[in-house]
Amino acid sequence: MHVMADDNPLAAERWQTRPLVVVIPGPEHPMLRHLQSQLRDPAMQQEFQEREMVLFTVVAGRGQRAGVPMTPAQTNSLLVALSAAAEGPAQVFLIGKDGGVKLREGGDRVSLPAIYTLIDGMPMRRR
């Protein structure tokens, strides 16, 4: 299936932000709850913003960018671009400013400090 680049919300982020994409089969999945609890910490939230990150979530097939709903076409395009499935398994992706996937992880937990460390080692961040 060919997807129009315009539909892929990651294309608009290139060179602007570092998307963190969480794809989970349902709203009660522990991966999202764990991430949200970390982002409630003001220091963690500030570090997220300092690294020019933006949170994308796909929960049970419904996509959002920073809490704003995306169209079904955008959500589908995002999933296709990441080779991810709405029905699972749960995965988190870190996308670099160059648009490349820097991290792809499954499981129930997301460690923002580990992600921050990974970003801090990237060439774009060290400038």
Side-chain angles (χ1 to χ4, degrees):
M1 180 175 104
H2 182 70
V3 176
M4 296 297 295
D6 303 342
D7 279 343
N8 184 349
L10 295 178
E13 304 294 336
R14 189 165 294 155
W15 306 118
Q16 306 299 313
T17 64
R18 292 182 178 88
L20 185 66
V21 184
V22 178
V23 180
I24 55 173
E28 295 307 309
H29 195 280
M31 180 186 276
L32 184 61
R33 288 204 311 260
H34 184 247
L35 179 63
Q36 288 170 331
S37 72
Q38 291 175 84
L39 285 172
R40 279 194 285 275
D41 177 326
M44 286 280 198
Q45 180 68 41
Q46 183 177 349
E47 289 192 57
F48 193 86
Q49 291 167 346
E50 282 172 1
R51 286 168 180 82
E52 299 176 302
M53 295 173 71
V54 62
L55 180 63
F56 282 84
T57 56
V58 179
V59 179
R62 291 192 187 88
Q64 291 190 340
R65 180 200 184 273
V68 178
M70 296 188 302
T71 67
Q74 288 173 320
T75 301
N76 186 53
S77 182
L78 177 69
L79 290 170
V80 168
L82 296 173
S83 301
E87 60 277 4
Q91 295 184 85
V92 63
F93 301 85
L94 174 64
I95 313 301
K97 283 195 170 181
D98 63 0
V101 176
K102 306 303 180 189
L103 174 78
R104 172 192 299 253
E105 248 177 38
D108 290 346
R109 300 177 77 77
V110 178
S111 168
L112 281 179
I115 289 172
Y116 295 159
T117 299
L118 180 67
I119 290 171
D120 291 346
M122 291 179 184
M124 288 283 297
R125 177 73 177 157
R126 287 197 301 255
R127 277 192 210 156

